[in-house]
Amino acid sequence: MRTLWLIGLTVWLWLGWGASLPADAAVAQPDQVPLTLELLQKQLKTPLQSDGVRLIDLRRFKIDLRSENGEFREQFYRQLQSQLRGSGAPLGLDLSYSIILGDLKMSELGLRSPLYGDAISPMLSDAEREQLQRDRRRLSQLSQLSRSLLAQAQPVPLQITVFRGVLNLQQTRFEGFVDFTNTFLLGRLDAQGADFIQDVDWSESRFGQPITFSGANFRREARFRNAIFFERATFNQAQFQGRVNFQSSEFQQTANFSQAIFQQTANLARIQWQNNADFAQTRWEGQALFNKDQFAQSLFLTEATFDKLVTFREAQFSQPVNLRSATILEQADFGDAEFSVGAYLNVSGLQFNSEQSRILGDPGRVGRVLSVPSLEGNETLLRNLVRNFRLLEQIPDANQVEYTREKLRLRDLRLRLLGTNINTASIQKLQQVGFTAEQIEVLVKARIKQPFRSLTDLLKLDGIDLATYVRVSDRLIARAPRASFAWLLDALHWVGLSLLLLLSRYGTSFWLVFGVGIVAIAYFGLLFWLVDRLRQLSPHPIRPTWKETSWVLGSFSLFLLAGFSAISRASDQPGLTLASLGLLVVPVPGLLLGLIYRKKRTHSLMNSSYFVEDAGLRQLRFLIGRLPIMPRYAFFRDRHMPILWERNWNWLNYYDFSLNNLFKFGFNDIRLRDEHIPGLITTLVWYQWGLGILYFTLLLWTLSRTIPGLNLLIYFK
């Protein structure tokens, strides 16, 4: 009985002592034993075979390389180096689940080989020689260039440490400084879950095979400056508690940093990313510096969180940047960044508050690269972006974001008018959209119980997968049944918004509005000249001279060329812009012109112009409130006289009248006479005057949105 009591007490004390250990001690493996010279020699004589490669098995050891254990440290490096270098075939090293006390220097373990020149260690195989030569030629050229620029003599040949085999550091704990500088790892590196207590330096290193730092913990500074990763580099779920420096490195394959945490400043400047760079779901508690980076493929920052400054100044993007659902809490700087054709910033779902955060970029450029695939769920974001750029006085970028928002709204309106409502569509209509019979049956049963509120509700149904949703979502809507009057309002809204977008880019392009006005002025000026000067060919011809005709047609061509040039430069869809303008100015005036020439004109004052001018005053003037027909009061008839047909410059009067009607601005007060005037001609003039009211309103609205001072007055009053 006493023996059982002593055993129980011993177990209880042992359990209590184990529970009181710190968290770090719990990570250490219970079977780790101190490495002695005898154990080291034993492990060196019996390499481990794993996946077809030979490894020196130093797993689950406590290796003391501190200065007070100098004799062991010297023997450790000497014996391990002798075994690694003396092996004909590549021999790896496995330190998994071990604890390294003191500093670890890779230069004491690998082969020494010249960094420049043609001399390569004869122990390397042909494949290893070829791998080592990957960047040697480039480094040699850079060295020669620097010597030529600095006029220096031939330098002393530098050495690089070559480690031929596989290096396993899984769950290894390094309590001292880890020095892998200027090292070429020809084999695979696996440091999954490794724990680096002190600084770690991989500067100037080369990684010839895939490397893994998944879940690694860098408690102090981690330096990978000027490193080259020839194969895939994986840092997902790594935790960088200290500063991080990857400056001037090169990733030739995919770099995966997803779910990594950067607690201090991360210097990722001047890096060449030749494949995808994945930073999805990362957390940046310090500054993130991507200045002068080159992204040859896509950059993924999906759901990333930036607590401090993130900067991409002078970066180059060749493919889209995905910022979907990312969070910017302070400032994102894209100043002087270059975006190739097809590259853009996908900011859908971006968490951004314009009162606390800022998005910076080159004025007039950054707004054009912001992209949002749909309006739903992004209206608040777009409003915040508009306010952000207005507070920064980057009016073109604010207007560009608003233009993007209204294009998305137009697409939603079109879908609302022409799309299939899954709450009311018939079975035949659903089949035409692309649903199978089984999917339709599930859909109909679900909408009977409860109408769909959004299209994403389809993904909750059995039998409707993501592929089906993607295939049919651009033709579907989910709305409650609406009356036909509501459909008519949506149609009118769609027509009006389409015209605003095509004719003015939603009030964001003065030159587009100006180009549209030039074309309209030239067109109506030609019509007025034709109606006034070509009245009849027989029996008493009233027609213009050939000289006047050539002047009119030549000037009309020049005006059209100027207008088309402005439209083609400013409009995203010049063809549709001209088509919409044609719908406004061609059908009605064309019909009136046909009716005018269908019947012979017989009225008094046939040999006098229909247009009169204010002969008492010539000056530039705004004619906003002026009507196009002369009043009947005799005093005005005394002041207004018919324009002069016989002058060579008479054709200018028709353009002046068209300018008065459309721009409400002109060189002279020209109007239509009030006596002996055909009603169809009056209708034509009034039609242009009505269009002029709409055009002048559009022009003023556009100017108010493109002039910075007036913008501030309107939007921040």
Side-chain angles (χ1 to χ4, degrees):
M1 187 68 180
R2 183 178 179 182
T3 303
L4 293 176
W5 182 84
L6 290 174
I7 294 174
L9 179 62
T10 303
V11 171
W12 180 80
L13 291 175
W14 181 80
L15 291 175
W17 174 79
S20 63
L21 287 175
D24 290 344
V27 176
Q29 300 297 324
D31 56 348
Q32 289 171 343
V33 295
L35 180 65
T36 62
L37 292 178
E38 292 76 12
L39 288 174
L40 175 61
Q41 293 173 0
K42 178 181 177 182
Q43 298 302 114
L44 292 177
K45 292 178 181 179
T46 57
L48 174 69
Q49 290 285 344
S50 176
D51 297 330
V53 297
R54 297 169 63 242
L55 297 167
I56 297 176
D57 186 6
L58 295 180
R59 296 176 296 173
R60 293 184 170 85
F61 282 105
K62 181 180 294 185
I63 305 174
D64 191 351
L65 301 178
R66 292 175 291 186
S67 57
E68 52 267 27
N69 199 16
E71 182 179 354
F72 172 81
R73 181 179 62 182
E74 182 179 351
Q75 290 295 324
F76 173 83
Y77 281 124
R78 186 178 62 81
Q79 295 186 27
L80 194 58
Q81 185 184 71
S82 177
Q83 186 74 9
L84 291 172
R85 292 183 179 182
S87 176
L91 182 61
L93 178 62
D94 193 346
L95 295 171
S96 299
Y97 305 103
S98 294
I99 296 178
I100 310 298
L101 303 176
D103 299 341
L104 178 65
K105 296 183 179 180
M106 179 54 65
S107 60
E108 301 293 336
L109 299 177
L111 299 174
R112 305 297 293 171
S113 179
L115 183 59
Y116 306 117
D118 297 328
I120 302 178
S121 175
M123 296 184 58
L124 301 179
S125 66
D126 292 339
E128 291 172 342
R129 290 170 186 265
E130 182 180 355
Q131 191 174 6
L132 185 60
Q133 286 283 21
R134 286 187 181 187
D135 67 322
R136 176 167 289 184
R137 185 177 298 107
R138 179 177 65 87
L139 293 173
S140 179
Q141 293 173 351
L142 292 175
S143 176
Q144 294 175 5
L145 177 61
S146 63
R147 291 198 305 271
S148 64
L149 293 177
L150 299 176
Q152 294 180 350
Q154 181 73 19
V156 178
L158 300 178
Q159 298 287 316
I160 186 172
T161 301
V162 179
F163 192 85
R164 303 172 62 195
V166 173
L167 182 59
N168 284 344
L169 305 175
Q170 296 183 33
Q171 303 293 333
T172 306
R173 181 183 176 93
F174 297 89
E175 297 195 353
F177 174 65
V178 178
D179 185 3
F180 278 78
T181 58
N182 208 20
T183 302
F184 201 126
L185 296 177
L186 298 178
R188 185 180 69 255
L189 169 64
D190 189 350
Q192 183 174 358
D195 191 2
F196 300 93
I197 306 299
Q198 300 298 324
D199 293 354
V200 56
D201 196 347
W202 299 79
S203 300
E204 303 287 348
S205 293
R206 312 293 190 254
F207 302 91
Q209 296 297 325
I211 68 168
T212 299
F213 282 92
S214 299
N217 188 2
F218 299 87
R219 298 174 184 261
R220 299 286 292 273
E221 184 174 3
R223 295 187 291 273
F224 289 83
R225 186 185 176 99
N226 293 313
I228 299 180
F229 302 84
F230 292 103
E231 298 295 336
R232 182 183 179 90
T234 303
F235 290 85
N236 63 301
Q237 297 182 344
Q239 185 171 358
F240 299 90
Q241 299 183 24
R243 297 173 66 89
V244 184
N245 191 344
F246 280 87
Q247 184 175 352
S248 301
S249 295
E250 181 178 341
F251 292 86
Q252 296 190 2
Q253 297 298 327
T254 300
N256 184 2
F257 287 82
S258 62
Q259 299 182 358
I261 299 176
F262 300 85
Q263 296 184 1
Q264 295 190 31
T265 300
N267 187 350
L268 302 168
R270 300 179 182 271
I271 297 179
Q272 296 183 35
W273 309 84
Q274 299 186 16
N275 213 301
N276 293 335
D278 187 359
F279 289 90
Q281 298 181 357
T282 50
R283 179 66 183 262
W284 307 77
E285 299 178 6
Q287 295 185 358
L289 310 178
F290 291 89
N291 297 334
K292 298 185 179 181
D293 281 14
Q294 298 179 15
F295 296 92
Q297 298 296 326
S298 299
L299 170 61
F300 295 93
L301 293 167
T302 311
E303 299 183 19
T305 301
F306 298 95
D307 294 349
K308 301 294 183 181
L309 167 70
V310 53
T311 172
F312 293 90
R313 294 194 67 84
E314 300 184 56
Q316 299 178 17
F317 300 98
S318 300
Q319 296 293 330
V321 179
N322 196 337
L323 281 163
R324 179 185 292 271
S325 301
T327 302
I328 297 176
L329 299 178
E330 188 171 286
Q331 180 172 297
D333 189 354
F334 292 90
D336 299 318
E338 296 182 10
F339 291 85
S340 301
V341 178
Y344 56 86
L345 299 176
N346 182 1
V347 296
S348 177
L350 179 68
Q351 303 299 316
F352 166 74
N353 190 333
S354 60
E355 297 293 339
Q356 304 170 358
S357 311
R358 289 289 178 269
I359 293 182
L360 307 179
D362 295 340
R365 295 179 58 188
V366 64
R368 293 184 175 274
V369 298
L370 297 177
S371 175
V372 175
S374 63
L375 185 62
E376 184 178 2
N378 291 301
E379 289 194 72
T380 301
L381 166 65
L382 293 172
R383 280 197 303 269
N384 286 334
L385 289 173
V386 170
R387 184 166 182 82
N388 169 79
F389 290 125
R390 293 201 184 280
L391 290 172
L392 295 173
E393 297 188 13
Q394 295 184 205
I395 304 306
D397 296 311
N399 289 338
Q400 179 63 37
V401 174
E402 285 199 275
Y403 175 61
T404 301
R405 181 183 63 190
E406 297 307 318
K407 284 199 304 182
L408 295 173
R409 194 183 308 279
L410 181 67
R411 189 176 67 181
D412 286 353
L413 283 172
R414 186 189 304 116
L415 189 61
R416 192 182 304 174
L417 293 171
L418 304 177
T420 300
N421 191 347
I422 57 177
N423 287 320
T424 59
S426 62
I427 296 178
Q428 292 76 13
K429 190 66 175 179
L430 293 174
Q431 289 177 342
Q432 294 176 4
V433 170
F435 289 108
T436 63
E438 294 78 8
Q439 292 172 340
I440 293 175
E441 182 179 359
V442 173
L443 190 152
V444 171
K445 290 181 179 179
R447 75 184 185 186
I448 292 176
K449 295 180 179 179
Q450 182 178 0
F452 294 99
R453 296 184 178 181
S454 66
L455 292 181
T456 55
D457 292 341
L458 290 174
L459 296 174
K460 302 177 182 178
L461 302 180
D462 295 334
I464 300 181
D465 54 8
L466 181 60
T468 303
Y469 175 80
V470 173
R471 188 177 67 251
V472 303
S473 60
D474 59 342
R475 289 168 289 170
L476 298 175
I477 59 173
R479 298 180 60 89
R482 306 182 70 194
S484 57
F485 181 73
W487 188 93
L488 179 60
L489 291 179
D490 287 341
L492 293 176
H493 189 186
W494 180 82
V495 171
L497 185 56
S498 298
L499 291 176
L500 285 178
L501 292 173
L502 290 172
L503 299 180
S504 69
R505 297 184 84 251
Y506 199 71
T508 64
S509 177
F510 167 77
W511 287 108
L512 178 57
V513 178
F514 185 74
V516 168
I518 292 297
V519 173
I521 289 171
Y523 174 75
F524 279 102
L526 179 65
L527 291 185
F528 295 147
W529 171 82
L530 187 65
V531 168
D532 194 39
R533 295 294 286 117
L534 186 60
R535 300 190 182 185
Q536 59 185 19
L537 300 178
S538 63
H540 304 288
I542 301 177
R543 59 191 179 188
T545 63
W546 288 109
K547 183 178 181 180
E548 182 180 353
T549 302
S550 62
W551 273 104
V552 170
L553 295 180
S555 61
F556 175 72
S557 301
L558 290 177
F559 284 138
L560 281 187
L561 181 62
F564 288 166
S565 177
I567 291 174
S568 63
R569 289 174 178 271
S571 176
D572 294 339
Q573 299 173 307
L576 290 179
T577 298
L578 292 174
S580 61
L581 177 60
L583 289 177
L584 293 175
V585 301
V586 172
V588 174
L591 177 62
L592 294 175
L593 193 65
L595 294 175
I596 289 173
Y597 282 100
R598 183 178 179 180
K599 63 179 183 179
K600 186 177 180 180
R601 273 179 276 181
T602 55
H603 55 76
S604 300
L605 301 177
M606 279 291 292
N607 293 318
S608 179
S609 175
Y610 295 132
F611 301 96
V612 294
E613 62 178 344
D614 186 353
L617 188 64
R618 291 182 182 274
Q619 65 180 16
L620 294 174
R621 62 180 72 180
F622 283 102
L623 304 169
I624 299 176
R626 192 219 64 170
L627 297 180
I629 298 181
M630 185 186 71
R632 295 177 57 191
Y633 188 52
F635 174 75
F636 287 99
R637 292 182 182 175
D638 292 339
R639 292 180 54 186
H640 288 75
M641 302 179 62
I643 60 176
L644 302 176
W645 275 359
E646 67 277 6
R647 297 292 190 270
N648 292 331
W649 44 261
N650 173 61
W651 54 274
L652 290 172
N653 289 316
Y654 301 101
Y655 291 122
D656 191 12
F657 179 72
S658 182
L659 184 68
N660 291 344
N661 266 2
L662 203 67
F663 267 90
K664 310 304 178 186
F665 173 83
F667 302 96
N668 198 9
D669 187 5
I670 299 179
R671 310 192 191 193
L672 200 65
R673 72 189 188 194
D674 66 324
E675 293 181 309
H676 307 293
I677 183 77
L680 293 175
I681 297 177
T682 303
T683 303
L684 178 63
V685 171
W686 276 107
Y687 182 77
Q688 194 211 12
W689 186 87
L691 290 180
I693 292 294
L694 299 177
Y695 177 81
F696 189 70
T697 303
L698 178 63
L699 180 62
L700 288 181
W701 182 54
T702 303
L703 288 174
S704 72
R705 293 165 58 83
T706 53
I707 298 176
L710 192 56
N711 246 285
L712 295 176
L713 180 63
I714 292 177
Y715 290 97
F716 298 104
K717 57 185 177 178

